Amino acid sequence: MHNDTERCVRAVQSKEARFDGVFFTAVRTTRIYCRPSCPAVPPKPENMEFHPSAASCQRAGYRACKRCRPDTSPGSPQWNVRADAVARAVRLIQDGVVDREGVPGLARRLGWSTRQIERQLLAELGAGPLALARAQRAQTARLLIETTGMPFGEIAFAAGFSSIRTFNDTVREVFALTPGELRARAARRSPLQPTATPGVISLRLPFRAPLEPSNLFGHLAATAIPGVEEWRDGAYRRTLSLPYGHGIVALSPRPDHIACRLFLTDPRDLTQAISRCRRLLDLDADPVAVDDRLRADPLLTPIVDKAPGRRVPGTVDAAEFAVRAVLGQQVSTAAARTHAARLVTAHGVPIEDPEGGLTHLFPGPEALAALDPETLALPRSRRTTLLTLVGALADGSLPLGPADDREEARARLLALPGFGPWTTEIIAMRALGDPDAFLPGDLGVRRAAEGLGLPGTPAALTARAAHWRPWRAYAVQYLWATDDHPINLLPA
């Protein structure tokens, strides 16, 4: 979109928050870059230039606006919609791969050369992988500076910088303030409150309005695995397995943001923890674009208008969700939770929760690959399905990461015993983040479709749903929401 100057100028002049994170406005006269919704008086059109990323603005010598803080805007929704290699590269960078493995590691995961990655990202985003990772490190550093009392030396390495000097230089260049000045400004706005739990990081996760929280948090709470997840004091809480340690996150819906409290055993995991939470809650979606497309079908208009802004609940770990999808085949939500809780108790890693009732990390594929099938209270065919799945996840023959090809993953899932269209599509929807995944054979979808006057058979409903693309996963959420199942109700 950043190449459509006329449209960008209109968005800036009307201060449309919908485009925050989709493009950035750089002002030639002030050398500042802003989000489109910046509350300041819009600059003259001839003084504006538009960039596809914050990293591109920084590479061109612009610093972040201190008023609208464009570095904290929601991510661009196109990286979730698109499934090409550039989008997969962006998702990996957001997941911290460049910080942990460098550009060569990113190249290995994508099957590209480092030169190809540099060229493709520079063409689309105006910045290469190192610049994109640097911009992300700067934002992580800012979060730690403003929301914790950590010493700056610890923040530098926790944010992924190789030295304190690089950390200081980057913060000054990007924000036109030293780390000390950033902390002092944040303290004047909102003094740090001492918490009962040392090491907790509190932050706000932005999103594009509207956001309807009922089905999003209702789904997570209704399917929560005891010991791994819980709903407590108005927040969804769960444990996280992370590259350098583990964490516990509490997520609470607010009118204009998601309140996030993170406890991490290693602060270097902050970037990936935030990325996983954003995927879990689908916070980079563009609800206006989604709802406009679905409203084009007159039979969907009433349910979209009733509660616009529904999101697709995701997951913090694709392998975990795949296992849970198999455990949930042809059983109730309560039974699926019971099966999962048994696996967690037997094979999960115990942890301590300073604030609640969480006790374990969900077991990884390597731990589950060695389990005794006779201990599973499942039909024999389901045992075979589960063991085959965890074996494929453990040996790497079934990759389900943010950079993996969605169609290839579908094909590999369908090749496993016991995997049909429903299981494959629910994994594509929630684990792979495919916004166009569709479940025409799902009982709840078919019942809702018939109640709205939509076709009731899978084939006919699929044909009708062609008009909803590429947002059929969101249509599923609206169809499910016509029922009074607990997954559609925000817990008290």
Side-chain angles (χ1 to χ4, degrees):
M1 178 179 172
H2 71 286
N3 291 321
D4 189 340
T5 301
E6 184 178 345
R7 189 180 178 197
C8 288
V9 168
R10 288 200 305 269
V12 171
Q13 291 176 336
S14 60
K15 303 185 184 300
E16 290 193 53
R18 172 187 171 187
F19 296 107
D20 289 354
V22 176
F23 71 89
F24 296 82
T25 308
V27 185
R28 298 187 182 99
T29 51
T30 61
R31 306 304 297 172
I32 292 173
Y33 74 94
C34 302
R35 59 172 80 194
S37 66
C38 182
V41 176
K44 296 178 180 179
E46 59 267 26
N47 292 331
M48 300 181 197
E49 64 181 58
F50 304 104
H51 291 258
S53 66
S56 175
C57 295
Q58 295 167 18
R59 183 172 177 268
Y62 293 93
R63 65 171 178 82
C65 174
K66 296 175 184 176
R67 188 168 181 183
C68 71
R69 301 182 59 172
D71 51 299
T72 62
S73 57
S76 175
Q78 68 173 314
W79 308 124
N80 293 331
V81 177
R82 288 171 49 175
D84 58 18
V86 170
R88 290 155 54 201
V90 170
R91 292 198 291 268
L92 281 173
I93 293 170
Q94 292 172 341
D95 218 35
V97 166
V98 170
D99 289 337
R100 296 192 303 274
E101 304 174 21
V103 178
L106 178 66
R108 283 194 300 273
R109 290 181 178 238
L110 293 169
W112 279 8
S113 69
T114 55
R115 181 175 296 180
Q116 283 177 304
I117 291 175
E118 185 78 29
R119 185 171 60 249
Q120 292 289 335
L121 291 179
L122 196 60
E124 290 224 25
L125 288 165
L130 288 176
L132 292 167
R134 176 180 179 268
Q136 184 163 277
R137 284 195 292 272
Q139 170 57 11
T140 301
R142 183 173 194 163
L143 280 173
L144 292 173
I145 289 168
E146 295 184 339
T147 63
T148 76
M150 290 173 60
F152 294 145
E154 294 181 16
I155 289 176
F157 296 109
F161 290 98
S162 59
S163 69
I164 297 175
R165 180 177 180 178
T166 304
F167 159 74
N168 286 326
D169 290 346
T170 299
V171 170
R172 277 196 299 266
E173 182 180 336
V174 173
F175 305 115
L177 293 168
T178 66
E181 290 168 338
L182 268 180
R183 179 165 282 175
R185 283 171 58 93
R188 287 195 295 270
R189 290 194 306 268
S190 177
L192 285 175
Q193 299 295 322
T195 62
T197 308
V200 169
I201 300 170
S202 298
L203 55 140
R204 297 182 172 200
L205 302 182
F207 56 76
R208 292 176 185 83
L211 182 145
E212 169 54 48
S214 58
N215 73 300
L216 182 59
F217 285 90
H219 205 122
L220 297 174
T223 60
I225 302 171
V228 175
E229 304 164 285
E230 68 174 0
W231 181 267
R232 179 186 290 264
D233 299 329
Y236 166 75
R237 303 179 74 248
R238 72 153 294 147
T239 59
L240 302 170
S241 298
L242 298 163
Y244 297 105
H246 71 266
I248 295 172
V249 64
L251 299 163
S252 308
R254 299 287 185 265
D256 61 348
H257 68 277
I258 299 296
C260 174
R261 282 170 49 83
L262 275 166
F263 171 77
L264 302 174
T265 56
D266 192 317
R268 289 177 295 175
D269 285 321
L270 178 61
T271 296
Q272 188 169 66
I274 292 173
S275 176
R276 291 189 183 191
C277 291
R278 295 193 67 81
R279 286 202 301 270
L280 174 70
L281 301 181
D282 194 19
L283 296 184
D284 291 328
D286 182 349
V288 175
V290 172
D291 292 351
D292 283 351
R293 173 58 63 89
L294 298 183
R295 283 192 186 99
D297 189 323
L299 295 182
L300 291 184
T301 301
I303 60 174
V304 174
D305 288 342
K306 181 179 179 180
R310 292 194 184 277
R311 300 302 206 268
V312 178
T315 182
V316 297
D317 187 295
E320 173 191 314
F321 185 80
V323 170
R324 295 173 67 166
V326 170
L327 295 176
Q329 288 178 331
Q330 300 178 351
V331 298
S332 67
T333 299
R337 292 179 66 200
T338 299
H339 291 316
R342 289 172 181 162
L343 281 185
V344 167
T345 301
H347 303 282
V349 177
I351 65 161
E352 292 186 6
D353 178 4
E355 295 186 340
L358 303 181
T359 59
H360 288 80
L361 301 175
F362 193 88
E366 295 78 10
L368 293 177
L371 62 82
D372 181 359
E374 297 304 319
T375 63
L376 299 174
L378 298 171
R380 186 170 300 276
S381 61
R382 193 81 44 77
R383 295 181 196 173
T384 301
T385 299
L386 181 62
L387 291 175
T388 306
L389 170 67
V390 296
L393 291 169
D395 66 21
S397 61
L398 178 62
L400 293 178
D404 294 307
D405 184 274
R406 292 165 178 167
E407 292 309 313
E408 181 179 345
R410 277 183 168 93
R412 295 191 181 197
L413 286 167
L414 285 170
L416 298 177
F419 272 77
W422 185 90
T423 309
T424 299
E425 286 301 299
I426 198 70
I427 292 173
M429 178 188 294
R430 296 193 55 194
L432 299 176
D434 186 349
D436 202 39
F438 193 49
L439 305 170
D442 179 82
L443 181 60
V445 169
R446 293 176 62 186
R447 185 186 296 124
E450 292 173 353
L452 293 171
L454 292 163
T457 65
L461 185 57
T462 299
R464 176 64 174 261
H467 300 291
W468 308 340
R469 305 190 77 167
W471 310 118
R472 293 184 300 176
Y474 294 87
V476 169
Q477 306 308 312
Y478 281 106
L479 292 171
W480 275 341
T482 61
D483 194 1
D484 59 357
H485 192 282
I487 65 169
N488 296 313
L489 305 175
L490 188 66

